[in-house]
Amino acid sequence: MFKAKTTLSKFLIEQLDGNADSKNLSALLVDIAAAIKAISAVVSRGALGDHLGTLETENVQGEQQKKLDVITNEIMLRQCEWGGLLAGMVSEELEDAFVVPRDRPRGAYLLSFDPLDGSSNIDVNAAVGTIFSILHQREATTPTTASFLRPGREQVAAGYAIYGPSTMLVMTVGRGTHGFTLDRETGNFVLTHPDLMVPADTGEFAINVSNERFWEPPVMRYVTECKAGCSGVRERDFNMRWIAAMVADVHRILMRGGVYLYPRDNRQPLRAGRLRLLYEAAPMAMLIEQAGGLASTGRQRLSDVEPEDIHQRCSVILGSRSEVERIERYHREHDSGADRPYISPLFNERSLYRPEPA
């Protein structure tokens, strides 16, 4: 018997109330999905599209831009500015907020996005993605930079696309986290992973170990214990993963569990972390929390961080609940002076901590 597939549009009708605001939010998410389809087509062309390589320009963060950074940013802007659903947008690739021109209708939503997360992976044909966050605009006036400076708990929707062997859209409207796969034959996003849940426990962690010498002591303590495996205080082995694209690492956690760490370090002591709060950390935090996991800076809930700048950076620790809670405890113990040095029997070298039993 034929069973109709649940498309993104049908899913949104079922998930959201039928009032005008909900219809507008649904329409905006469909616009974002259309932009993601266009980006997927461009990315999948690879070298055939003549879009690989680096430009001589830098974005506002001082990072050298890839050709596809600029192209995908334009796709998101052009696809989403015309529908009368948005008042403004913030992008990793733009220095200031983009305000929908006066000659076009403005809506009641604000969109923040990273058009191509992990773009350094493009030239090696590894996974990349797009991350987005949606806020409801508070005031019926022309938005300013300050309009976007609100904590993640105020998001009305968030999501990401991952461009891999298949293109997937993972999103939430505050009623669970759900995954859709792009059916290239019909052009529809089809619900394939409803009600994703992050397992409370895990045996995997993702962190860039090349930065180990810069980490704070609580992070060093946690990773040292995981690497010690069944011979150490955790008494079980852990696998370490790192793809260098937040979308790919978070996607793996949503599919099978794990914990992701991109902590603050001492390379730039005044910087609270490396990832951008508005369009990387906050939307991922909402997705993970809606899937039963936790998202933290190590010292506070990520969704409670009050942004002061549209490109503000923060520490990110998210994933399986038990591991994030452990890492938060290690931060509390370090900040209170409760941790002490010990001699590691595994490595026969001086570590920074005396781990407590699991």
Side-chain angles (χ1 to χ4, degrees):
M1 180 180 294
F2 173 77
K3 183 178 180 180
K5 298 177 179 178
T6 300
T7 63
L8 175 63
S9 297
K10 180 181 178 183
F11 172 84
L12 291 171
I13 291 172
E14 294 172 347
Q15 280 272 307
L16 297 172
D17 300 326
N19 59 44
D21 278 347
S22 294
K23 289 179 180 178
N24 287 338
L25 177 58
S26 178
L28 175 56
L29 288 165
V30 169
D31 282 349
I32 293 170
I36 287 168
K37 293 176 194 176
I39 293 172
S40 176
V42 171
V43 169
S44 67
R45 291 279 293 167
L48 297 176
D50 194 28
H51 299 318
L52 302 187
T54 303
L55 299 173
E56 295 181 359
T57 57
E58 294 182 346
N59 63 20
V60 64
Q61 281 82 247
E63 300 165 339
Q64 197 165 28
Q65 291 178 307
K66 300 284 186 180
K67 290 181 181 179
L68 278 172
D69 286 325
V70 175
I71 292 169
T72 56
N73 187 66
E74 276 297 300
I75 289 173
M76 286 291 288
L77 290 175
R78 300 291 84 83
Q79 180 64 44
C80 298
E81 70 173 339
W82 61 272
L85 303 167
L86 287 173
M89 290 179 265
V90 160
S91 166
E92 180 182 13
E93 305 303 325
L94 299 177
E95 182 173 0
D96 299 311
F98 172 89
V99 177
V100 173
R102 292 184 178 276
D103 62 347
R104 298 190 176 180
R106 290 178 182 168
Y109 291 99
L110 302 171
L111 174 65
S112 301
F113 63 91
D114 179 354
L116 198 64
D117 175 67
S119 57
S120 61
N121 283 344
I122 281 291
D123 293 337
V124 297
N125 200 29
V128 292
T130 298
I131 311 172
F132 65 90
S133 165
I134 300 174
L135 294 169
H136 199 287
Q137 189 181 9
R138 286 172 172 167
E139 62 283 339
T141 59
T142 300
T144 65
T145 295
S147 304
F148 292 84
L149 301 182
R150 290 153 58 189
R153 63 177 181 269
E154 296 188 21
Q155 295 171 110
V156 295
Y160 66 80
I162 181 168
Y163 310 112
S166 61
T167 293
M168 284 191 66
L169 167 62
V170 179
M171 56 164 288
T172 180
V173 291
R175 301 179 183 181
T177 297
H178 311 276
F180 303 79
T181 301
L182 179 60
D183 183 341
R184 297 193 182 279
E185 292 183 1
T186 64
N188 290 322
F189 275 106
V190 177
L191 181 65
T192 52
H193 296 73
D195 297 308
L196 290 166
M197 294 298 295
V198 178
D201 298 301
T202 183
E204 290 188 347
F205 67 101
I207 193 168
N208 185 353
V209 178
S210 68
N211 295 328
E212 184 172 2
R213 65 194 184 278
F214 304 117
W215 293 339
E216 289 187 290
V219 175
M220 183 77 76
R221 173 183 177 182
Y222 177 77
V223 174
T224 298
E225 291 179 356
C226 290
K227 290 194 295 183
C230 62
S231 301
V233 67
R234 298 298 302 273
E235 298 182 338
R236 60 191 177 107
D237 291 330
F238 284 77
N239 290 323
M240 184 169 64
R241 301 285 185 261
W242 186 253
I243 304 178
M246 187 186 193
V247 157
D249 282 308
V250 172
H251 188 71
R252 184 184 58 253
I253 289 170
L254 282 169
M255 293 297 115
R256 69 186 193 199
V259 62
Y260 171 89
L261 302 93
Y262 210 137
R264 68 183 303 166
D265 56 46
N266 61 23
R267 281 175 292 179
Q268 295 176 290
L270 297 180
R271 180 179 285 177
R274 303 288 295 175
L275 295 176
R276 270 65 58 146
L277 175 59
L278 289 189
Y279 42 81
E280 291 177 327
M284 291 304 199
M286 184 179 185
L287 289 164
I288 289 293
E289 288 183 343
Q290 285 291 316
L294 292 181
S296 173
T297 67
R299 293 179 169 88
Q300 76 175 117
R301 181 188 176 211
L302 251 176
S303 294
D304 288 338
V305 177
E306 297 279 351
E308 298 176 356
D309 180 84
I310 58 173
H311 299 296
Q312 179 175 326
R313 300 178 188 244
C314 67
S315 172
V316 175
I317 299 164
L318 55 77
S320 295
R321 178 175 293 271
S322 62
E323 296 303 302
V324 176
E325 288 176 338
R326 175 181 287 269
I327 298 166
E328 288 180 323
R329 174 164 64 84
Y330 287 2
H331 279 81
R332 291 194 301 271
E333 290 175 357
H334 170 70
D335 293 346
S336 67
D339 51 3
R340 295 175 291 169
Y342 84 111
I343 303 299
S344 168
L346 177 66
F347 300 108
N348 194 28
E349 63 183 13
R350 188 169 182 79
S351 181
L352 297 174
Y353 322 97
R354 183 186 305 279
E356 297 179 358

